[in-house]
Amino acid sequence: MNKQAKKQQNNKKGPIWPFILLLVVGLGLLGYPLSTQAYNFWLSHQKVQSFQKAANNLSSIEVKKRLRLARAYNASLLSPGQQSSVSDPFSKSEKKAGVAAYAKMLELHENIGYIDLPKLHQELPIYAGTSESVLQKGIGHLAGSSLPVGGKSTRAVLTGHRGLPNSRLFTDLPRLKKGDVFYVHNLGQVLAYKVYKIEVIKPTQVDKLKIVKGKDLCTLMTCTPYMINTHRLLVTGYRIPYNPKSEKKANEQSQNRLIWIAIAVLLPLLAIIIFFWHRRRRKKKQAGKQAGQAEKKE
């Protein structure tokens, strides 16, 4: 009778595997965005470190030479009619394959630099050109705009996709507000830009990307509205003095926010797991007591 009572109790409880399966699926769905974001962050960080290492291995003479060539290229853009070559990077006619030769002097391990966006918790590699192969893996530099080396009468335009299944890139760009600071690292400099203008334009309004005489600007560009992509979001910053401590502090604050977000997500999950584990353990004890009482009555 003891075995029969236990069997009846087990039948009442039912199998545990559906609950475990649902729990695993639920945790997977909740954890997937965080794990994907963490993986992409790690991948971008590896590319950034590779670029930094290659840049550190260059001699100061080589760095100065390359930057001089980049500035000479930027100066050539001030010639009459040169900026007319700037066009919308997301239109089908502009998605051309191939390596952009105009930025070779800045290229190291395929990258011409990287952008640090502390508010968005991102470091993203920058590539020359805006071909689809480039925009699938990082941030593209718009050909016809100034190379990201700074200087008066320059405007670098950096473009990125939103909503890619394998990477966030500029998905969170609308979170940037006026007053936020972002950083552009090239092979020999770090350029700091403070956001002062945020615009939504039509793809045909390429005049909004033109160089402004005497200004040192950098514009971040992506498609909007999200997943509809009929317009372009422009986030433009003007150059400010670079302070390494400010960038380090901003990144530390960003990392702390990420930690708190992870804790806020994981704690409820842990509480749910403990609750169901405790509940099942309590039911098991009650079933054992009932089986013992039934055995005594027999």
Side-chain angles (χ1 to χ4, degrees), residues 116 183 185 190 192 241-251:
D116 181 9
Y183 303 88
H185 295 244
V190 182
Y242 172 63
N243 185 338
K245 291 182 179 179
S246 296
E247 184 181 17
K248 183 179 179 181
K249 183 179 179 180
N251 280 314

Side-chain angles (χ1 to χ4, degrees), residues 40-88:
N40 287 323
F41 178 84
W42 175 83
L43 199 61
S44 293
H45 187 64
Q46 294 302 307
K47 292 178 181 177
V48 165
Q49 283 191 322
S50 177
F51 178 84
Q52 288 176 327
K53 186 176 179 180
N56 290 336
N57 289 333
L58 290 177
S59 67
S60 59
I61 295 174
E62 180 66 16
V63 169
K64 289 178 181 178
K65 176 186 174 182
R66 291 189 180 210
L67 290 176
R68 186 171 64 251
L69 290 171
R71 294 189 181 107
Y73 171 84
N74 286 347
S76 72
L77 297 177
L78 300 176
S79 303
Q82 286 298 309
Q83 286 193 72
S84 61
S85 60
V86 174
S87 56
D88 179 62

Side-chain angles (χ1 to χ4, degrees), residues 101-131:
Y102 68 89
K104 279 292 185 181
M105 74 287 285
L106 293 180
E107 196 172 71
L108 292 171
H109 291 208
E110 295 187 337
N111 303 342
I112 64 170
Y114 67 93
I115 182 171
D116 181 9
L117 301 160
K119 187 174 182 180
L120 307 185
H121 329 297
Q122 288 183 301
E123 287 181 331
L124 299 169
I126 302 171
Y127 300 88
T130 53
S131 66

Side-chain angles (χ1 to χ4, degrees), residues 193-224:
Y193 291 92
K194 188 173 184 178
V195 176
Y196 81 100
K197 186 186 291 185
I198 299 174
E199 304 172 272
V200 174
I201 66 170
K202 295 178 181 179
T204 54
Q205 293 178 286
V206 292
D207 58 309
K208 296 287 187 179
L209 301 175
K210 287 186 176 181
I211 292 169
V212 179
K213 189 175 180 180
K215 301 289 186 181
D216 187 337
L217 305 175
C218 182
T219 295
L220 311 181
M221 181 180 185
T222 192
C223 295
T224 195

Side-chain angles (χ1 to χ4, degrees), residues 107-294:
E107 196 172 71
L108 292 171
H109 291 208
E110 295 187 337
N111 303 342
I112 64 170
Y114 67 93
I115 182 171
D116 181 9
L117 301 160
K119 187 174 182 180
L120 307 185
H121 329 297
Q122 288 183 301
E123 287 181 331
L124 299 169
I126 302 171
Y127 300 88
T130 53
S131 66
E132 188 58 23
S133 61
V134 163
L135 296 179
Q136 284 290 327
K137 62 183 179 180
I139 303 305
H141 171 265
L142 182 60
S145 73
S146 306
L147 289 171
V149 295
K152 290 183 179 181
S153 301
T154 62
R155 185 188 199 124
V157 181
L158 306 178
T159 66
H161 275 319
R162 297 177 71 194
L164 292 182
N166 60 339
S167 185
R168 297 194 67 79
L169 298 178
F170 275 174
T171 298
D172 298 323
L173 192 63
R175 288 179 51 205
L176 288 185
K177 305 299 180 186
K178 291 181 180 180
D180 289 335
V181 178
F182 60 90
Y183 303 88
V184 177
H185 295 244
N186 60 41
L187 54 83
Q189 299 171 294
V190 182
L191 314 174
Y193 291 92
K194 188 173 184 178
V195 176
Y196 81 100
K197 186 186 291 185
I198 299 174
E199 304 172 272
V200 174
I201 66 170
K202 295 178 181 179
T204 54
Q205 293 178 286
V206 292
D207 58 309
K208 296 287 187 179
L209 301 175
K210 287 186 176 181
I211 292 169
V212 179
K213 189 175 180 180
K215 301 289 186 181
D216 187 337
L217 305 175
C218 182
T219 295
L220 311 181
M221 181 180 185
T222 192
C223 295
T224 195
Y226 185 65
M227 300 301 287
I228 298 175
N229 305 336
T230 55
H231 290 68
R232 306 292 178 254
L233 173 65
L234 307 183
V235 177
T236 302
Y238 62 86
R239 179 99 172 265
I240 62 174
Y242 172 63
N243 185 338
K245 291 182 179 179
S246 296
E247 184 181 17
K248 183 179 179 181
K249 183 179 179 180
N251 280 314
E252 287 175 349
Q253 291 174 342
S254 174
Q255 290 171 2
N256 290 336
R257 282 195 295 269
L258 275 180
I259 291 171
W260 282 112
I261 290 171
I263 290 173
V265 172
L266 293 175
L267 275 182
L269 292 177
L270 182 61
I272 291 171
I273 293 171
I274 292 174
F275 170 77
F276 280 104
W277 174 79
H278 181 71
R279 184 180 177 185
R280 183 162 186 81
R281 187 181 178 188
R282 186 175 59 188
K283 284 185 176 182
K284 192 174 181 180
K285 285 184 177 180
Q286 289 176 350
K289 287 181 180 179
Q290 290 175 358
Q293 290 173 358

